[in-house]
Amino acid sequence: MPLADHLRELRNRLAKGVLAILVVTVVAAFYYKDITAFVTGPVLDSIGCPQSFGQLARTKETHCAHLTVNGLLAPFTLALKVALTTGVVLASPVWLYQLWAFVAPGLHRNEKKYAYAFVGFGFPLFLAGGYLAYNVLPTTARFMIDLTPSGAENLLPLDNLLDLSIRMVVVFGLAFEMPLLLIMLNLTGILSGRRMLGWWRGMIVGIAAFAAVATPSPDPGTMLALAAPIWGLFFVAVAFSLFNDRRRRRREGTGLSDDEASELDLTPEDIGEIESVNAGRTLPEQSGTDRVNGYDDVT
């Protein structure tokens, strides 16, 4: 296709994806309170206080948090943020398909197969990471609220809580994609399983450091809740890569790998019998006279 047709197709694909996001955003705007309650519900259950003020006064070791919305325009901004985020997430099948439909015609058959596998396994892994973050967040909130001095009251802005929840879901979901990326690199022949296995010490330390930074609390339980599944997925990716490398070598037989050079045989060999060739005269023969450079030589 000419460049203008490619740009026109890209425009149409983007328009369809944006339209799907807008439609879902409009629908989600009518239910943003329910969506907000769904996101913040586990946190409130862990740090909220259902007791009365009199009971709270007699229970000095209980720490609570109250959600707040600051400013006159804050509720509208919050509703817009919740609706737009919901639109992007729920409309992801549509805009991901539009992106795939634009890229797929330029891929080879094996590349399409790898792309289908990446999407087929990547989306469930992302959901698993998001679900883990959704369950870890209440424990994190409870640990942070318990650090509050006795007699103090916690006012938690609702927009900050939503930003924290969304960030943790995205970070946990993307972290679960790392082993899948390693497998795709192995399937394409870029990274071998043996080399991947040699990284295991650094990967354990690196994943632990990433989990410590990604989780908002210094609670070691929360950090291990993120690091342990990624450690397991990494070793699953290593095992799959080693098996795939062995299968590839068995299929190729005794042939050389891509990074090996073939040996050159420099032993001299007999060229065999020389074939005689009859060559004609280079100068024309005349009767008794050969003409060379314009002169006549008498034979």
Side-chain angles (χ1 to χ4, degrees), residues 86-128:
T86 305
V88 173
V89 173
L90 295 185
S92 58
V94 177
W95 58 264
L96 284 176
Y97 171 77
Q98 297 300 326
L99 179 62
W100 169 254
F102 178 76
V103 176
L107 299 178
H108 297 289
R109 180 176 300 178
N110 60 334
E111 294 173 338
K112 291 182 180 179
K113 179 179 65 176
Y114 293 151
Y116 282 130
F118 187 86
V119 174
F121 289 97
F123 188 67
L125 285 176
F126 185 87
L127 291 181

Side-chain angles (χ1 to χ4, degrees), residues 186 191-198 235-249:
N186 177 261
L191 186 61
S192 64
R194 186 176 298 274
R195 179 179 298 180
M196 198 184 306
L197 182 60
F235 285 107
V236 169
V238 171
F240 176 87
S241 300
L242 292 174
F243 173 78
N244 183 61
D245 292 342
R246 184 180 304 174
R247 181 182 60 85
R248 185 184 293 122
R249 288 193 299 266

Side-chain angles (χ1 to χ4, degrees), residues 83-169:
L84 184 59
T85 304
T86 305
V88 173
V89 173
L90 295 185
S92 58
V94 177
W95 58 264
L96 284 176
Y97 171 77
Q98 297 300 326
L99 179 62
W100 169 254
F102 178 76
V103 176
L107 299 178
H108 297 289
R109 180 176 300 178
N110 60 334
E111 294 173 338
K112 291 182 180 179
K113 179 179 65 176
Y114 293 151
Y116 282 130
F118 187 86
V119 174
F121 289 97
F123 188 67
L125 285 176
F126 185 87
L127 291 181
Y131 179 77
L132 178 61
Y134 186 75
N135 287 275
V136 166
L137 186 59
T139 304
T140 303
R142 188 183 305 111
F143 177 84
M144 301 298 290
I145 293 298
D146 286 341
L147 298 177
T148 305
S150 300
E153 186 176 1
N154 291 279
L155 299 179
L156 183 61
L158 184 55
D159 53 348
N160 292 345
L161 177 60
L162 289 174
D163 292 340
L164 177 63
S165 302
I166 294 173
R167 184 167 65 250
M168 287 192 62
V169 168

